[in-house]
Short mmCIF file of all heavy atoms in Angstrom, two decimals:
data_model
loop_
_atom_site.label_atom_id
_atom_site.label_comp_id
_atom_site.label_asym_id
_atom_site.label_seq_id
_atom_site.Cartn_x
_atom_site.Cartn_y
_atom_site.Cartn_z
N ILE A 89 -6.00 128.61 -33.54
CA ILE A 89 -5.04 127.68 -33.72
C ILE A 89 -3.92 128.23 -34.51
O ILE A 89 -4.05 129.36 -35.19
CB ILE A 89 -5.41 126.40 -34.41
CG1 ILE A 89 -6.02 126.75 -35.74
CG2 ILE A 89 -6.52 125.70 -33.52
CD1 ILE A 89 -6.39 125.55 -36.66
N THR A 90 -2.65 127.65 -34.43
CA THR A 90 -1.62 128.03 -35.38
C THR A 90 -0.93 126.71 -35.78
O THR A 90 -1.11 125.67 -35.13
CB THR A 90 -0.62 128.87 -34.66
OG1 THR A 90 0.43 129.33 -35.61
CG2 THR A 90 0.10 128.26 -33.39
N ARG A 91 -0.27 126.70 -36.88
CA ARG A 91 0.29 125.50 -37.40
C ARG A 91 1.76 125.68 -37.86
O ARG A 91 2.29 125.17 -38.77
CB ARG A 91 -0.51 125.02 -38.70
CG ARG A 91 -1.84 124.45 -38.31
CD ARG A 91 -1.71 123.21 -37.46
NE ARG A 91 -3.07 122.49 -37.14
CZ ARG A 91 -3.57 122.63 -35.98
NH1 ARG A 91 -3.04 123.27 -35.00
NH2 ARG A 91 -4.64 122.10 -35.65
N GLY A 92 2.46 126.50 -37.05
CA GLY A 92 3.84 126.79 -37.21
C GLY A 92 4.12 128.11 -38.03
O GLY A 92 3.29 128.65 -38.65
N ASP A 93 5.39 128.35 -38.02
CA ASP A 93 5.85 129.67 -38.57
C ASP A 93 6.40 129.45 -39.94
O ASP A 93 7.58 129.40 -40.17
CB ASP A 93 6.90 130.37 -37.69
CG ASP A 93 7.22 131.75 -38.18
OD1 ASP A 93 6.70 132.22 -39.09
OD2 ASP A 93 8.24 132.40 -37.57
N LEU A 94 5.42 129.30 -40.93
CA LEU A 94 5.98 129.01 -42.31
C LEU A 94 5.81 130.30 -43.25
O LEU A 94 4.79 131.01 -43.06
CB LEU A 94 5.15 127.83 -42.99
CG LEU A 94 5.23 126.51 -42.40
CD1 LEU A 94 4.32 125.59 -43.02
CD2 LEU A 94 6.63 126.00 -42.55
N PRO A 95 6.71 130.58 -44.12
CA PRO A 95 6.36 131.58 -45.08
C PRO A 95 5.11 131.28 -45.84
O PRO A 95 4.94 130.07 -46.10
CB PRO A 95 7.61 131.45 -45.94
CG PRO A 95 8.64 131.02 -45.18
CD PRO A 95 7.97 130.02 -44.27
N ILE A 96 4.34 132.20 -46.23
CA ILE A 96 2.95 131.91 -46.81
C ILE A 96 3.12 131.07 -47.89
O ILE A 96 2.22 130.17 -48.34
CB ILE A 96 2.18 133.26 -47.03
CG1 ILE A 96 0.72 132.88 -47.32
CG2 ILE A 96 2.87 133.90 -48.17
CD1 ILE A 96 -0.05 132.28 -46.13
N GLY A 97 4.19 131.15 -48.79
CA GLY A 97 4.31 130.43 -50.07
C GLY A 97 4.45 128.91 -49.73
O GLY A 97 4.41 128.01 -50.57
N GLU A 98 4.86 128.62 -48.48
CA GLU A 98 5.11 127.15 -48.14
C GLU A 98 3.88 126.57 -47.36
O GLU A 98 3.94 125.33 -47.02
CB GLU A 98 6.39 127.06 -47.29
CG GLU A 98 7.64 127.58 -48.00
CD GLU A 98 8.87 127.50 -47.08
OE1 GLU A 98 8.77 126.81 -45.94
OE2 GLU A 98 9.84 128.05 -47.51
N VAL A 99 2.87 127.26 -47.11
CA VAL A 99 1.74 126.88 -46.47
C VAL A 99 0.81 125.90 -47.35
O VAL A 99 0.35 126.43 -48.38
CB VAL A 99 0.91 127.99 -45.90
CG1 VAL A 99 -0.31 127.46 -45.27
CG2 VAL A 99 1.66 128.75 -44.88
N PRO A 100 0.72 124.71 -46.93
CA PRO A 100 -0.29 123.85 -47.82
C PRO A 100 -1.74 124.34 -47.77
O PRO A 100 -2.11 125.03 -46.78
CB PRO A 100 -0.19 122.46 -47.04
CG PRO A 100 1.04 122.49 -46.22
CD PRO A 100 1.27 123.85 -45.80
N THR A 101 -2.41 124.07 -48.90
CA THR A 101 -3.83 124.66 -48.96
C THR A 101 -4.70 124.16 -47.84
O THR A 101 -5.43 124.90 -47.26
CB THR A 101 -4.39 124.22 -50.24
OG1 THR A 101 -3.52 124.77 -51.42
CG2 THR A 101 -5.77 124.84 -50.55
N ASP A 102 -4.52 122.82 -47.55
CA ASP A 102 -5.24 122.33 -46.43
C ASP A 102 -5.17 122.94 -45.16
O ASP A 102 -5.99 123.23 -44.32
CB ASP A 102 -5.42 120.81 -46.34
CG ASP A 102 -3.93 120.24 -46.03
OD1 ASP A 102 -3.03 121.03 -46.21
OD2 ASP A 102 -3.84 119.06 -45.75
N MET A 103 -3.89 123.31 -44.79
CA MET A 103 -3.42 124.03 -43.50
C MET A 103 -4.01 125.53 -43.71
O MET A 103 -4.54 125.91 -42.56
CB MET A 103 -1.94 124.09 -43.47
CG MET A 103 -1.47 124.78 -42.16
SD MET A 103 0.32 124.98 -42.10
CE MET A 103 0.92 123.32 -42.10
N PHE A 104 -3.94 126.21 -44.71
CA PHE A 104 -4.53 127.44 -44.90
C PHE A 104 -6.05 127.45 -44.57
O PHE A 104 -6.59 128.28 -43.71
CB PHE A 104 -4.27 128.05 -46.19
CG PHE A 104 -4.56 129.38 -46.45
CD1 PHE A 104 -3.85 130.49 -46.20
CD2 PHE A 104 -5.99 129.58 -46.98
CE1 PHE A 104 -4.27 131.82 -46.43
CE2 PHE A 104 -6.35 130.94 -47.14
CZ PHE A 104 -5.63 132.04 -46.92
N THR A 105 -6.63 126.51 -45.13
CA THR A 105 -8.06 126.39 -45.01
C THR A 105 -8.48 126.09 -43.43
O THR A 105 -9.37 126.79 -43.08
CB THR A 105 -8.67 125.27 -45.82
OG1 THR A 105 -8.33 125.57 -47.30
CG2 THR A 105 -10.16 125.23 -45.75
N GLU A 106 -7.79 125.19 -42.90
CA GLU A 106 -8.06 124.80 -41.61
C GLU A 106 -7.86 126.12 -40.69
O GLU A 106 -8.78 126.31 -39.77
CB GLU A 106 -7.12 123.67 -41.06
CG GLU A 106 -7.30 123.30 -39.60
CD GLU A 106 -6.23 122.49 -38.99
OE1 GLU A 106 -5.00 122.44 -39.47
OE2 GLU A 106 -6.37 121.81 -38.07
N VAL A 107 -6.79 126.80 -40.79
CA VAL A 107 -6.54 127.96 -39.79
C VAL A 107 -7.59 129.07 -40.07
O VAL A 107 -8.09 129.64 -39.16
CB VAL A 107 -5.12 128.45 -39.95
CG1 VAL A 107 -4.95 129.77 -39.20
CG2 VAL A 107 -4.10 127.44 -39.50
N MET A 108 -7.83 129.39 -41.46
CA MET A 108 -8.86 130.33 -41.69
C MET A 108 -10.24 130.08 -41.24
O MET A 108 -10.93 130.91 -40.69
CB MET A 108 -8.84 130.65 -43.16
CG MET A 108 -7.57 131.56 -43.65
SD MET A 108 -7.74 133.15 -42.94
CE MET A 108 -6.29 133.90 -43.79
N VAL A 109 -10.59 128.65 -41.39
CA VAL A 109 -11.95 128.39 -40.87
C VAL A 109 -12.02 128.45 -39.40
O VAL A 109 -13.05 129.00 -38.88
CB VAL A 109 -12.28 126.94 -41.45
CG1 VAL A 109 -13.49 126.40 -40.76
CG2 VAL A 109 -12.44 126.89 -42.97
N THR A 110 -11.10 128.06 -38.71
CA THR A 110 -11.03 128.02 -37.21
C THR A 110 -11.00 129.49 -36.65
O THR A 110 -11.65 129.81 -35.72
CB THR A 110 -9.95 127.15 -36.62
OG1 THR A 110 -10.07 125.77 -37.12
CG2 THR A 110 -9.89 127.09 -35.19
N ASN A 111 -10.07 130.24 -37.21
CA ASN A 111 -9.61 131.48 -36.58
C ASN A 111 -10.57 132.74 -37.04
O ASN A 111 -10.65 133.69 -36.41
CB ASN A 111 -8.21 131.90 -36.82
CG ASN A 111 -7.35 130.97 -36.02
OD1 ASN A 111 -7.62 130.00 -35.48
ND2 ASN A 111 -6.02 131.12 -36.15
N ALA A 112 -11.10 132.52 -38.16
CA ALA A 112 -11.86 133.78 -38.86
C ALA A 112 -13.41 133.42 -39.20
O ALA A 112 -14.25 134.12 -38.67
CB ALA A 112 -11.19 134.24 -40.01
N LEU A 113 -13.52 132.34 -39.97
CA LEU A 113 -14.89 132.04 -40.39
C LEU A 113 -15.71 131.59 -39.26
O LEU A 113 -16.92 132.08 -39.04
CB LEU A 113 -14.92 131.05 -41.49
CG LEU A 113 -16.16 130.61 -42.07
CD1 LEU A 113 -17.11 131.72 -42.62
CD2 LEU A 113 -15.96 129.36 -43.07
N SER A 114 -15.28 130.65 -38.58
CA SER A 114 -16.19 129.95 -37.47
C SER A 114 -16.54 131.00 -36.32
O SER A 114 -17.66 131.01 -35.83
CB SER A 114 -15.46 128.73 -36.92
OG SER A 114 -15.35 127.84 -37.82
N PRO A 115 -15.54 131.77 -35.82
CA PRO A 115 -15.96 132.87 -34.84
C PRO A 115 -17.07 133.69 -35.36
O PRO A 115 -18.10 134.10 -34.54
CB PRO A 115 -14.77 133.57 -34.60
CG PRO A 115 -13.64 132.63 -34.82
CD PRO A 115 -14.10 131.78 -36.00
N MET A 116 -16.92 134.08 -36.59
CA MET A 116 -18.06 135.06 -37.13
C MET A 116 -19.34 134.41 -37.31
O MET A 116 -20.49 134.97 -37.16
CB MET A 116 -17.60 135.66 -38.52
CG MET A 116 -16.35 136.52 -38.33
SD MET A 116 -16.54 137.84 -36.95
CE MET A 116 -17.98 138.59 -37.41
N ARG A 117 -19.39 133.15 -37.60
CA ARG A 117 -20.56 132.30 -37.77
C ARG A 117 -21.21 132.27 -36.31
O ARG A 117 -22.50 132.35 -36.11
CB ARG A 117 -20.34 130.91 -38.19
CG ARG A 117 -20.08 130.68 -39.69
CD ARG A 117 -19.71 129.29 -40.02
NE ARG A 117 -19.82 129.18 -41.59
CZ ARG A 117 -19.27 128.06 -42.14
NH1 ARG A 117 -18.64 127.20 -41.45
NH2 ARG A 117 -19.41 128.05 -43.47
N VAL A 118 -20.38 132.05 -35.34
CA VAL A 118 -20.87 132.05 -34.00
C VAL A 118 -21.60 133.35 -33.58
O VAL A 118 -22.57 133.46 -32.99
CB VAL A 118 -19.81 131.67 -32.91
CG1 VAL A 118 -20.23 131.93 -31.38
CG2 VAL A 118 -19.41 130.32 -33.13
N VAL A 119 -20.89 134.43 -33.99
CA VAL A 119 -21.42 135.83 -33.70
C VAL A 119 -22.71 135.98 -34.33
O VAL A 119 -23.75 136.44 -33.76
CB VAL A 119 -20.40 136.79 -34.14
CG1 VAL A 119 -20.99 138.18 -34.18
CG2 VAL A 119 -19.13 136.87 -33.30
N ASP A 120 -22.93 135.52 -35.62
CA ASP A 120 -24.20 135.64 -36.37
C ASP A 120 -25.28 134.79 -35.81
O ASP A 120 -26.37 135.30 -35.74
CB ASP A 120 -23.94 135.22 -37.79
CG ASP A 120 -23.23 136.39 -38.62
OD1 ASP A 120 -23.12 137.55 -38.13
OD2 ASP A 120 -22.79 136.03 -39.66
N VAL A 121 -24.99 133.64 -35.24
CA VAL A 121 -25.99 132.81 -34.90
C VAL A 121 -26.31 132.93 -33.33
O VAL A 121 -27.45 132.97 -33.04
CB VAL A 121 -25.51 131.22 -35.06
CG1 VAL A 121 -26.53 130.28 -34.38
CG2 VAL A 121 -25.35 130.98 -36.52
N LEU A 122 -25.34 133.23 -32.61
CA LEU A 122 -25.68 133.43 -31.13
C LEU A 122 -25.80 134.84 -30.75
O LEU A 122 -26.26 135.09 -29.65
CB LEU A 122 -24.57 132.62 -30.24
CG LEU A 122 -24.44 131.17 -30.57
CD1 LEU A 122 -23.27 130.62 -29.76
CD2 LEU A 122 -25.73 130.42 -30.18
N GLY A 123 -25.20 135.77 -31.52
CA GLY A 123 -25.29 137.16 -31.15
C GLY A 123 -26.73 137.59 -30.78
O GLY A 123 -26.85 138.50 -29.94
#
Side-chain angles (χ1 to χ4, degrees):
I89 59 172
T90 183
R91 291 293 181 254
D93 187 7
L94 294 174
I96 194 63
E98 298 177 15
V99 173
T101 300
D102 58 348
M103 181 187 295
F104 183 90
T105 301
E106 179 193 21
V107 172
M108 283 292 184
V109 168
T110 302
N111 293 4
L113 176 60
S114 295
M116 295 310 304
R117 282 176 169 165
V118 168
V119 168
D120 282 348
V121 173
L122 298 177

